[in-house]
Amino acid sequence: MDHKKECRIYTLTEKAFGGFISGSHVYPESELDLYYDFHGFYLLPIESDGKWGLMNGATDEIVVPLQFDYTETLFDDYIAGHAVKNGLHGYINAQGQTVVPFAYEDAKDQPSSNGYFAVKRGKWGVINGKNEPILHFVYDRIDLDGCFDLTAGWFTFYGGISAIQDGQVTLFDRYGEILEDHLTAHPRGYSTNPSRYGEYMILQRKRKFGVICRDGRLITNVTMLKREAVRLIQKLEGAC
């Protein structure tokens, strides 16, 4: 008879509940707690005796053995997920193999859609899957596939990389090339239809403004008045 071990399971709804492990199978306290995890391929974090691994929420099978200090949920559209081993951060794939070495003091939860990873060595930088630098380690904050406004407290989709250094924002395209730097505010979404999530964002450098598309294409440099930037978005959306 297999030895049974108590465990904790962490779901997509950020709820943690108990269960036990027997062999490679997890027996949750209640299958109802895993209801939302049946509808897609997700590997859920599972912890027992201080060691973490990943399980398939639909089959209750352990797919990544419990050998880490910590693991994040691994989604089917990401090539790897964040994990911690021996106190250091890295990334693993769905088979538990190391994608980015466990050599960093911190790491973002998920990589970008382009296979970039934001990691920290005193300052934040970005590497690719070969552990080669894409952005140097000089930034106070980095967001992959999005922008985060520290003053407003919101996160918005952007199909590139945004970075903060000394209070100023730099926007990169999906290949790590600078689009605009020394921005004095985070990009702000704008749409002619308040009920719709607009495709464009307004950029600002002091009293000058520009427009960028959420997919990471620069529409115009930051050389315009604000009303001109708004007017351009209205034209792009066909509102005038």
Side-chain angles (χ1 to χ4, degrees):
M1 182 176 179
D2 291 332
H3 175 65
K4 296 180 180 180
K5 294 171 45 177
E6 291 186 355
C7 66
R8 298 288 289 173
I9 303 163
Y10 296 81
T11 70
L12 292 178
T13 56
E14 299 183 355
K15 179 179 180 181
F17 62 95
F20 68 89
I21 300 170
S22 181
S24 62
H25 199 86
V26 181
Y27 296 87
E29 289 176 347
S30 170
E31 290 288 345
L32 183 63
D33 289 312
L34 284 172
Y35 174 77
Y36 292 104
D37 304 294
F38 292 148
H39 304 291
F41 178 71
Y42 315 108
L43 299 186
L44 303 176
I46 180 173
E47 180 269 330
S48 180
D49 293 332
K51 290 298 181 182
W52 293 66
L54 295 170
M55 65 172 281
N56 187 319
T59 64
D60 294 340
E61 293 293 323
I62 296 175
V63 293
V64 175
L66 282 69
Q67 56 183 306
F68 300 97
D69 302 340
Y70 177 72
T71 53
E72 292 278 354
T73 302
L74 202 161
F75 296 92
D76 59 344
D77 52 351
Y78 287 109
I79 60 173
H82 173 215
V84 181
K85 191 172 186 179
N86 297 325
L88 295 173
H89 297 250
Y91 291 85
I92 59 173
N93 63 18
Q95 291 74 47
Q97 299 166 329
T98 300
V99 174
V100 170
F102 292 91
Y104 299 95
E105 66 194 70
D106 204 351
K108 292 289 186 182
D109 290 349
Q110 304 291 353
S112 76
S113 57
N114 301 298
Y116 295 158
F117 304 83
V119 292
K120 188 173 185 179
R121 284 178 176 157
K123 293 283 189 176
W124 287 93
V126 176
I127 60 173
N128 62 19
K130 297 180 180 179
N131 207 32
E132 299 168 337
I134 301 299
L135 299 185
H136 294 296
F137 294 86
V138 297
Y139 296 98
D140 302 319
R141 180 185 176 96
I142 281 179
D143 291 301
L144 303 172
D145 294 336
C147 303
F148 189 83
D149 189 329
L150 295 175
T151 55
W154 48 258
F155 184 86
T156 185
F157 168 76
Y158 165 69
I161 303 170
S162 63
I164 299 176
Q165 184 180 18
D166 298 328
Q168 296 190 330
V169 180
T170 300
L171 286 183
F172 300 86
D173 65 14
R174 64 187 62 207
Y175 306 106
E177 298 295 327
I178 293 178
L179 294 177
E180 283 289 350
D181 58 6
H182 299 97
L183 299 176
T184 53
H186 267 81
R188 298 187 295 279
Y190 179 85
S191 175
T192 56
N193 184 349
S195 64
R196 186 176 65 186
Y197 195 65
E199 293 297 321
Y200 302 97
M201 298 188 294
I202 293 177
L203 307 180
Q204 181 178 356
R205 185 185 298 116
K206 295 184 178 180
R207 295 185 179 181
K208 294 296 183 180
F209 297 83
V211 176
I212 195 168
C213 187
R214 289 188 188 274
D215 64 11
R217 290 178 295 118
L218 187 67
I219 304 300
T220 179
N221 294 109
V222 185
T223 58
M224 311 170 75
L225 298 175
K226 185 175 182 179
R227 64 175 179 270
E228 293 173 330
V230 169
R231 182 74 171 173
L232 176 58
I233 292 177
Q234 291 172 340
K235 288 182 177 180
L236 291 169
E237 291 190 336
C240 61

